[in-house]
Amino acid sequence: MKKLIILPFVILFLAQGCARFGNNEEATPPEFEYLIQELDSELDFDSEQRSSARASLGRGKDFHPDPAALWKLAAYLHENLTLEQKLLLLAPPSDFDLTILSEENDYHFKRLERFQRMDLYLRSILNDDQLEAYDALIEYKRTAIESLIDQINNGNIELIVFRFELMGIMEWFRVEMEILLTDDQKAILLENRDDEDRRWRRGRRGWGRFASDPKEIKKAMYNALGMTDDQITTLENIHEDFKTDLKTLREEYIDGSYTVDVYRSAVVTIISGSHDRRESVFTQIQKEIIEIHRALTRRFMKHTRWGNRG
């Protein structure tokens, strides 16, 4: 009789367990452990740091695979790393890789494999004239990025300038694609990109419930930095100004008002100006947490977006 009473509870337990294993929201992304292992290897965590870093990262899984998942970890590391460990974490890479940098900074192509599929699909919907123009754009982008990489590796430009210039190249490429494609082609490409997104999600664990929620993503940063209401309002106003200025510049470029070089330079000026205004909003501690978050993001994206592991 006891066996008959226990059996339903066993079945219920197994059913709940299977549901959890099949639920992407509940799974812990393997990329989290890859990142912790990488940090442990670089920074030589003690047992408390290792355990607490892993727990802090786990609390960000609602945002995976967006880098917003790293904010709690960044705040923890800021408070608990030694000065020597912070210097190791924040040290710039010894060299840069063209493919990685291209994928990191181009919102539309988040992984190399995905870029290759999208590139093939895009070529299939272009006519001959468009294909010729597209190849020229790709070649220009590649050459421009290679030139930047040479400059940063040779110590001719600072990292912050490198970042701004790289963003300028990617913004130029996006607006050129806007010019190149017809409205019908844009619609087809957007539909295909959405299909790619769904396919990518199905093949991975731990897609967070806030991963595509801009408001929650911003809130994660605000909370990690302990920002005041006045800071948040000022920051959001700066962002709106940035979007407006960039939109106006983009429209003027499409109308033929600027050459490529002038446009890229103007984009960098807008980005740099917005960056300086944002910097004035943050306290020194907040700036340090942001730099740690940026260093974590560079490592994290190897595992989540470029398909190196997992």
Side-chain angles (χ1 to χ4, degrees):
M1 184 66 178
K2 289 182 179 178
K3 291 182 180 179
L4 294 176
I5 294 174
I6 292 173
L7 184 58
F9 290 97
V10 173
I11 294 173
L12 178 62
F13 174 79
L14 291 174
Q16 290 176 334
C18 291
R20 288 194 182 97
F21 281 115
N23 187 348
N24 282 347
E25 305 296 336
E26 296 291 334
T28 298
E31 294 89 349
F32 281 14
E33 185 58 28
Y34 300 152
L35 178 61
I36 293 298
Q37 291 174 9
E38 181 176 356
L39 293 173
D40 191 13
S41 175
E42 288 184 28
L43 308 180
D44 192 22
F45 283 155
D46 61 35
S47 59
E48 173 61 28
Q49 288 177 322
R50 189 182 309 109
S51 175
S52 296
R54 183 176 285 115
S56 297
L57 182 56
R59 287 193 287 273
K61 72 178 182 179
D62 278 344
F63 297 96
H64 179 267
D66 191 275
L70 308 174
W71 278 115
K72 291 184 183 295
L73 176 59
Y76 168 79
L77 294 180
H78 177 264
E79 288 193 5
N80 293 279
L81 291 182
T82 66
L83 177 58
E84 182 181 3
Q85 288 174 315
K86 286 181 181 178
L87 291 175
L88 287 171
L89 178 63
L90 297 177
S94 58
D95 56 9
F96 290 86
D97 178 83
L98 171 62
T99 299
I100 286 176
L101 287 169
S102 298
E103 301 311 312
E104 177 179 352
N105 287 275
D106 192 336
Y107 172 81
H108 299 290
F109 307 122
K110 295 180 179 177
R111 294 183 61 193
L112 179 58
E113 295 91 339
R114 181 181 174 187
F115 170 77
Q116 291 168 340
R117 289 196 300 270
M118 292 291 288
D119 178 69
L120 288 173
Y121 184 78
L122 179 57
R123 290 178 181 278
S124 73
I125 64 174
L126 298 179
N127 61 40
D128 290 343
D129 290 339
Q130 287 177 312
L131 275 172
E132 184 177 352
Y134 177 65
D135 284 334
L137 294 176
I138 291 293
E139 179 62 18
Y140 180 94
K141 184 176 78 165
R142 184 190 64 79
T143 302
I145 294 176
E146 283 183 344
S147 175
L148 272 183
I149 292 173
D150 287 341
Q151 292 181 65
I152 189 68
N153 285 341
N154 293 332
N156 296 330
I157 58 174
E158 296 180 357
L159 183 60
I160 188 69
V161 175
F162 174 86
R163 284 172 40 211
F164 293 161
E165 291 288 345
L166 189 60
M167 293 167 69
I169 293 171
M170 301 315 298
E171 170 58 25
W172 163 82
F173 183 73
R174 281 188 285 271
V175 74
E176 285 289 354
M177 293 304 297
E178 175 78 13
I179 296 170
L180 179 66
L181 299 174
T182 67
D183 289 341
D184 287 344
Q185 287 171 331
K186 291 172 191 174
I188 293 171
L189 194 62
L190 182 60
E191 182 179 357
N192 179 267
R193 193 186 70 186
D194 290 342
D195 289 342
E196 284 288 324
D197 278 341
R198 287 189 288 270
R199 187 180 302 112
W200 189 77
R201 292 190 193 195
R202 285 197 299 269
R204 304 187 70 80
R205 293 194 292 152
W207 188 276
R209 56 178 174 154
F210 297 141
S212 301
D213 189 328
K215 290 184 179 180
E216 291 294 335
I217 287 172
K218 286 193 293 186
K219 189 186 300 183
M221 183 188 78
Y222 299 157
N223 290 340
L225 299 179
M227 296 182 67
T228 65
D229 290 342
D230 285 345
Q231 281 183 307
I232 292 172
T233 298
T234 302
L235 196 65
E236 291 181 345
N237 288 338
I238 292 171
H239 183 62
E240 287 303 314
D241 290 343
F242 169 76
K243 290 195 301 183
T244 299
D245 292 344
L246 198 59
K247 181 175 182 291
T248 300
L249 183 67
R250 185 183 296 124
E251 290 172 347
E252 291 172 348
Y253 179 70
I254 292 174
D255 288 340
S257 301
Y258 305 110
T259 65
V260 172
D261 290 341
V262 171
Y263 178 69
R264 278 180 49 190
S265 178
V267 170
V268 171
T269 297
I270 291 175
I271 293 172
S272 176
S274 179
H275 173 268
D276 291 345
R277 291 180 64 193
R278 285 168 56 90
E279 286 289 288
S280 69
V281 174
F282 299 120
T283 66
Q284 183 58 35
I285 289 177
Q286 290 169 337
K287 291 177 185 178
E288 291 170 4
I289 296 174
I290 290 170
E291 285 304 309
I292 290 175
H293 181 267
R294 183 174 289 118
L296 293 174
T297 298
R298 189 175 67 245
R299 292 164 171 82
F300 184 61
M301 290 176 74
K302 289 188 300 185
H303 308 305
T304 59
R305 294 188 175 181
W306 307 328
N308 291 352
R309 300 173 69 172

